């Protein structure tokens, strides 16, 4: 998950905090970062989800609002989990497989409780993993 920066250096993906309208902090957003010129660009595969999240937010009148992007985006979730020290020795494919199994268990529970909204949220997370696995080489 690297790309070439306009300055010639290699950009790597890091989880960063994006601040919107100085009142909303969105943590754990995958961002391409350049160590050479300090340029940063939101990772293209999460840009639509980030845009949708921001479009649905309203800045609070006083305090800052803090949101973790990993709660709405599976790629952010997987990157964060893979970068946690406790998971460094786990193969990435195992982390992905474990998450898929966890989501399938949640889907079965949501369906048994006849919670259509929750079931659709879980299906959306599974679709995200599927679409990322087609555009990114996780292995």
């Amino acid at each position: 998950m690297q790309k070439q920066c306009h300055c010639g250096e290699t950009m790597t993906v890091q989880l960063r905090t994006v601040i919107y309208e100085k009142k909303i902090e969105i943590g754990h957003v995958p961002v391409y970062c350049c160590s050479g010129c300090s340029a940063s660009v939101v990772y293209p595969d999460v840009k639509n989800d980030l845009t949708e999240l921001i479009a649905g937010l309203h800045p609070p009148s006083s305090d800052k609002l803090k949101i973790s992007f990993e709660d709405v985006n599976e790629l952010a979730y997987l990157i964060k989990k893979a970068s946690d020290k406790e998971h460094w020795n786990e193969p990435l494919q195992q982390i992905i497989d474990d998450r898929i199994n966890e989501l399938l268990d949640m889907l079965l529970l949501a369906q048994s409780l006849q919670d259509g909204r929750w079931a659709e949220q879980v299906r959306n997370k599974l679709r995200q993993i599927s679409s990322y696995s087609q555009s990114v080489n996780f292995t």
Side-chain angles (χ1 to χ4, degrees):
M1 296 177 73
Q2 299 178 337
K3 77 174 198 168
Q4 194 75 21
C5 183
H6 62 83
C7 75
E9 294 289 323
T10 300
M11 298 180 91
T12 58
V13 174
Q14 299 175 9
L15 295 176
R16 293 285 179 95
T17 298
V18 172
I19 299 174
Y20 177 68
E21 291 191 5
K22 299 181 183 179
K23 294 258 184 182
I24 300 172
E25 292 183 12
I26 305 169
H28 306 120
V29 178
V31 176
Y32 275 120
C33 300
C34 178
S35 59
C37 69
S38 300
S40 60
V41 179
V42 173
Y43 191 74
D45 286 344
V46 302
K47 194 170 187 173
N48 286 341
D49 289 341
L50 182 61
T51 302
E52 286 178 21
L53 175 64
I54 289 172
L57 296 175
H58 303 287
S61 56
S62 57
D63 295 335
K64 284 187 176 183
L65 176 63
K66 292 185 179 186
I67 300 169
S68 182
F69 192 58
E70 70 185 89
D71 293 337
V72 294
N73 183 274
E74 283 301 301
L75 184 58
Y77 176 90
L78 292 169
I79 292 170
K80 183 173 183 311
K81 186 162 186 176
S83 64
D84 287 344
K85 287 182 182 179
E86 65 191 65
H87 299 285
W88 279 359
N89 292 326
E90 288 181 46
L92 185 55
Q93 190 60 52
Q94 182 64 47
I95 293 170
I96 295 166
D97 291 347
D98 289 348
R99 180 60 174 171
I100 291 170
N101 288 331
E102 180 182 5
L103 290 169
L104 290 172
D105 288 343
M106 281 191 248
L107 181 58
L108 285 173
L109 180 58
Q111 289 173 335
S112 71
L113 295 172
Q114 298 179 350
D115 189 334
R117 183 172 177 229
W118 184 23
E120 186 54 34
Q121 289 172 341
V122 174
R123 281 188 202 96
N124 184 46
K125 289 175 182 277
L126 287 164
R127 279 191 289 272
Q128 286 178 10
I129 292 174
S130 176
S131 69
Y132 297 139
S133 67
Q134 292 172 11
S135 64
V136 176
N137 185 7
F138 279 129
T139 55

